[in-house]
Amino acid sequence: MTTTVIALVLIVGTLTFAAGAFLAAEIATRILRRRERQISEERKTLNAAWKYLREVHGVRKPGAKTRR
């Protein structure tokens, strides 16, 4: 009887842990995908701004080497 209870407790504990780990991984994945999407949108905006500055005003990015 005691062995059965211990076995059931271990099985339930293992399943609960596995479910918690799965949910944590899913949440982390969703957060990372959302952040990647935000960074991608921000990068598009910045690239468009730099393109405008280069084409219209002749501005170079910091650290860009000049041609001689």
Side-chain angles (χ1 to χ4, degrees):
M1 176 70 180
T2 305
T3 307
T4 305
V5 171
I6 291 173
L8 288 174
V9 167
L10 289 175
I11 291 170
V12 169
T14 303
L15 292 175
T16 304
F17 175 78
F22 176 76
L23 287 175
E26 282 294 314
I27 291 169
T29 302
R30 288 182 185 180
I31 289 171
L32 286 174
R33 284 187 183 148
R34 185 182 328 133
R35 183 65 185 132
E36 284 177 351
R37 199 174 322 119
Q38 290 171 346
I39 290 171
S40 177
E41 292 299 321
E42 186 177 341
R43 184 175 289 130
K44 287 178 188 176
T45 305
L46 290 173
N47 283 339
W50 275 114
K51 184 177 180 181
Y52 169 78
L53 288 172
R54 273 195 314 271
E55 290 177 357
V56 176
H57 300 288
V59 175
R60 290 189 190 91
K61 288 185 179 180
K65 294 183 179 178
T66 57
R67 294 183 182 178
R68 294 183 188 211

